[in-house]
Short mmCIF file of all heavy atoms in Angstrom, two decimals:
data_model
loop_
_atom_site.label_atom_id
_atom_site.label_comp_id
_atom_site.label_asym_id
_atom_site.label_seq_id
_atom_site.Cartn_x
_atom_site.Cartn_y
_atom_site.Cartn_z
N ASP A 1 2.39 5.75 -9.82
CA ASP A 1 3.44 4.73 -9.94
C ASP A 1 4.79 5.43 -9.86
O ASP A 1 5.18 6.16 -10.77
CB ASP A 1 3.29 4.00 -11.28
CG ASP A 1 4.42 3.00 -11.52
OD1 ASP A 1 5.17 2.71 -10.56
OD2 ASP A 1 4.55 2.53 -12.66
N GLU A 2 5.51 5.22 -8.75
CA GLU A 2 6.83 5.84 -8.56
C GLU A 2 7.96 4.83 -8.69
O GLU A 2 9.08 5.08 -8.25
CB GLU A 2 6.89 6.52 -7.19
CG GLU A 2 5.91 7.68 -7.04
CD GLU A 2 6.13 8.47 -5.76
OE1 GLU A 2 6.80 7.94 -4.85
OE2 GLU A 2 5.63 9.61 -5.68
N SER A 3 7.66 3.68 -9.31
CA SER A 3 8.68 2.62 -9.40
C SER A 3 9.90 3.07 -10.17
O SER A 3 11.01 2.59 -9.93
CB SER A 3 8.08 1.37 -10.04
OG SER A 3 7.61 1.65 -11.36
N ALA A 4 9.73 4.00 -11.12
CA ALA A 4 10.88 4.48 -11.88
C ALA A 4 11.88 5.20 -10.99
O ALA A 4 13.08 5.23 -11.28
CB ALA A 4 10.42 5.42 -13.01
N ILE A 5 11.39 5.77 -9.89
CA ILE A 5 12.26 6.50 -8.97
C ILE A 5 12.68 5.63 -7.80
O ILE A 5 13.85 5.56 -7.44
CB ILE A 5 11.55 7.77 -8.44
CG1 ILE A 5 11.09 8.64 -9.62
CG2 ILE A 5 12.46 8.55 -7.52
CD1 ILE A 5 12.19 9.15 -10.50
N THR A 6 11.70 4.95 -7.19
CA THR A 6 11.99 4.20 -5.96
C THR A 6 12.33 2.75 -6.20
O THR A 6 12.92 2.10 -5.35
CB THR A 6 10.78 4.25 -5.01
OG1 THR A 6 9.70 3.53 -5.62
CG2 THR A 6 10.34 5.68 -4.76
N GLY A 7 11.93 2.21 -7.37
CA GLY A 7 12.14 0.78 -7.61
C GLY A 7 11.07 -0.08 -6.99
O GLY A 7 11.10 -1.30 -7.13
N GLU A 8 10.11 0.52 -6.28
CA GLU A 8 9.05 -0.25 -5.64
C GLU A 8 7.82 -0.26 -6.54
O GLU A 8 7.41 0.77 -7.07
CB GLU A 8 8.69 0.36 -4.28
CG GLU A 8 9.86 0.38 -3.30
CD GLU A 8 10.34 -1.01 -2.95
OE1 GLU A 8 9.52 -1.95 -2.99
OE2 GLU A 8 11.52 -1.17 -2.65
N SER A 9 7.22 -1.44 -6.71
CA SER A 9 6.12 -1.60 -7.66
C SER A 9 4.79 -1.11 -7.13
O SER A 9 3.89 -0.80 -7.90
CB SER A 9 5.99 -3.07 -8.06
OG SER A 9 5.78 -3.88 -6.91
N ALA A 10 4.60 -1.06 -5.81
CA ALA A 10 3.31 -0.67 -5.25
C ALA A 10 3.05 0.82 -5.48
O ALA A 10 3.91 1.65 -5.18
CB ALA A 10 3.27 -0.99 -3.76
N PRO A 11 1.87 1.19 -6.01
CA PRO A 11 1.56 2.61 -6.22
C PRO A 11 1.35 3.32 -4.89
O PRO A 11 1.07 2.69 -3.87
CB PRO A 11 0.28 2.57 -7.05
CG PRO A 11 -0.35 1.26 -6.72
CD PRO A 11 0.78 0.31 -6.46
N VAL A 12 1.47 4.63 -4.91
CA VAL A 12 1.26 5.44 -3.71
C VAL A 12 0.17 6.46 -4.00
O VAL A 12 -0.11 6.78 -5.15
CB VAL A 12 2.56 6.16 -3.28
CG1 VAL A 12 3.62 5.16 -2.90
CG2 VAL A 12 3.07 7.06 -4.39
N ILE A 13 -0.45 6.96 -2.93
CA ILE A 13 -1.51 7.95 -3.06
C ILE A 13 -0.91 9.35 -2.92
O ILE A 13 -0.13 9.62 -2.01
CB ILE A 13 -2.60 7.74 -1.99
CG1 ILE A 13 -3.23 6.35 -2.14
CG2 ILE A 13 -3.67 8.82 -2.10
CD1 ILE A 13 -3.91 6.12 -3.47
N ARG A 14 -1.28 10.21 -3.84
CA ARG A 14 -0.87 11.62 -3.77
C ARG A 14 -2.14 12.46 -3.77
O ARG A 14 -3.04 12.26 -4.60
CB ARG A 14 0.02 11.98 -4.96
CG ARG A 14 1.38 11.32 -4.90
CD ARG A 14 2.21 11.98 -3.80
NE ARG A 14 3.52 11.36 -3.66
CZ ARG A 14 3.82 10.44 -2.77
NH1 ARG A 14 2.88 10.02 -1.94
NH2 ARG A 14 5.04 9.94 -2.68
N GLU A 15 -2.21 13.41 -2.82
CA GLU A 15 -3.42 14.23 -2.69
C GLU A 15 -3.04 15.61 -2.20
O GLU A 15 -1.94 15.85 -1.69
CB GLU A 15 -4.40 13.58 -1.73
CG GLU A 15 -3.85 13.35 -0.35
CD GLU A 15 -4.81 12.60 0.56
OE1 GLU A 15 -6.03 12.79 0.38
OE2 GLU A 15 -4.36 11.83 1.42
N SER A 16 -3.96 16.54 -2.36
CA SER A 16 -3.71 17.93 -1.95
C SER A 16 -3.95 18.10 -0.47
O SER A 16 -4.70 17.35 0.15
CB SER A 16 -4.63 18.87 -2.74
OG SER A 16 -5.99 18.58 -2.45
N GLY A 17 -3.27 19.09 0.08
CA GLY A 17 -3.56 19.51 1.44
C GLY A 17 -3.00 18.66 2.55
O GLY A 17 -3.36 18.84 3.70
N GLY A 18 -2.11 17.72 2.27
CA GLY A 18 -1.57 16.88 3.32
C GLY A 18 -0.07 16.72 3.20
O GLY A 18 0.60 17.48 2.49
N ASP A 19 0.44 15.72 3.91
CA ASP A 19 1.87 15.46 3.87
C ASP A 19 2.27 14.57 2.70
O ASP A 19 3.42 14.17 2.59
CB ASP A 19 2.32 14.79 5.18
CG ASP A 19 2.32 15.78 6.34
OD1 ASP A 19 2.27 16.99 6.06
OD2 ASP A 19 2.39 15.33 7.50
N ARG A 20 1.31 14.23 1.85
CA ARG A 20 1.60 13.39 0.69
C ARG A 20 1.21 14.11 -0.59
O ARG A 20 0.58 13.55 -1.48
CB ARG A 20 0.88 12.04 0.81
CG ARG A 20 1.33 11.23 2.00
CD ARG A 20 0.59 9.91 2.11
NE ARG A 20 1.07 9.15 3.25
CZ ARG A 20 2.07 8.29 3.21
NH1 ARG A 20 2.72 8.09 2.08
NH2 ARG A 20 2.45 7.62 4.29
N SER A 21 1.60 15.37 -0.65
CA SER A 21 1.20 16.19 -1.79
C SER A 21 2.32 16.35 -2.82
O SER A 21 2.07 16.85 -3.92
CB SER A 21 0.76 17.58 -1.31
OG SER A 21 1.82 18.21 -0.62
N ALA A 22 3.54 15.94 -2.49
CA ALA A 22 4.66 16.13 -3.42
C ALA A 22 4.65 15.06 -4.49
O ALA A 22 4.46 13.87 -4.21
CB ALA A 22 5.98 16.09 -2.66
N VAL A 23 4.85 15.46 -5.74
CA VAL A 23 4.98 14.53 -6.85
C VAL A 23 6.31 14.79 -7.55
O VAL A 23 6.82 15.92 -7.55
CB VAL A 23 3.81 14.64 -7.85
CG1 VAL A 23 2.53 14.09 -7.26
CG2 VAL A 23 3.62 16.08 -8.31
N THR A 24 6.85 13.75 -8.15
CA THR A 24 8.17 13.82 -8.78
C THR A 24 8.05 13.65 -10.28
O THR A 24 7.31 12.78 -10.76
CB THR A 24 9.09 12.72 -8.21
OG1 THR A 24 9.14 12.86 -6.79
CG2 THR A 24 10.49 12.83 -8.78
N GLY A 25 8.77 14.49 -11.01
CA GLY A 25 8.78 14.38 -12.46
C GLY A 25 9.26 13.01 -12.91
O GLY A 25 10.21 12.47 -12.37
N GLY A 26 8.57 12.45 -13.93
CA GLY A 26 8.94 11.12 -14.43
C GLY A 26 8.09 10.01 -13.87
O GLY A 26 8.16 8.88 -14.34
N THR A 27 7.29 10.30 -12.83
CA THR A 27 6.38 9.28 -12.29
C THR A 27 5.06 9.34 -13.07
O THR A 27 4.76 10.31 -13.76
CB THR A 27 6.11 9.51 -10.79
OG1 THR A 27 5.54 10.82 -10.61
CG2 THR A 27 7.42 9.44 -10.01
N ARG A 28 4.26 8.28 -12.97
CA ARG A 28 3.06 8.16 -13.81
C ARG A 28 1.80 8.02 -12.96
O ARG A 28 1.77 7.23 -12.01
CB ARG A 28 3.20 6.96 -14.74
CG ARG A 28 2.09 6.83 -15.78
CD ARG A 28 2.51 5.87 -16.88
NE ARG A 28 2.71 4.53 -16.35
CZ ARG A 28 1.77 3.58 -16.35
NH1 ARG A 28 0.57 3.85 -16.84
NH2 ARG A 28 2.03 2.38 -15.87
N VAL A 29 0.79 8.78 -13.29
CA VAL A 29 -0.50 8.69 -12.61
C VAL A 29 -1.25 7.47 -13.13
O VAL A 29 -1.40 7.28 -14.34
CB VAL A 29 -1.33 9.97 -12.84
CG1 VAL A 29 -2.75 9.80 -12.31
CG2 VAL A 29 -0.66 11.16 -12.15
N LEU A 30 -1.72 6.62 -12.22
CA LEU A 30 -2.39 5.38 -12.60
C LEU A 30 -3.90 5.51 -12.63
O LEU A 30 -4.58 4.85 -13.42
CB LEU A 30 -1.99 4.26 -11.64
CG LEU A 30 -0.51 3.87 -11.62
CD1 LEU A 30 -0.27 2.79 -10.58
CD2 LEU A 30 -0.05 3.40 -12.98
N SER A 31 -4.45 6.33 -11.73
CA SER A 31 -5.90 6.46 -11.67
C SER A 31 -6.27 7.87 -11.25
O SER A 31 -5.47 8.59 -10.65
CB SER A 31 -6.49 5.46 -10.67
OG SER A 31 -6.10 5.79 -9.34
#
């Protein structure tokens, strides 16, 4: 859940080894 940073309610997928591996402090893991 990155809504605290982006303001968008839809969760995003974060995973290793790809272009979606960066996570930001203050965001919350949902699952």
Side-chain angles (χ1 to χ4, degrees):
D1 175 13
E2 296 188 343
S3 60
I5 304 298
T6 67
E8 299 297 331
S9 58
V12 297
I13 300 299
R14 290 288 178 263
E15 58 185 327
S16 62
D19 287 345
R20 297 179 179 271
S21 60
V23 289
T24 304
T27 59
R28 187 164 63 94
V29 172
L30 298 178
S31 67

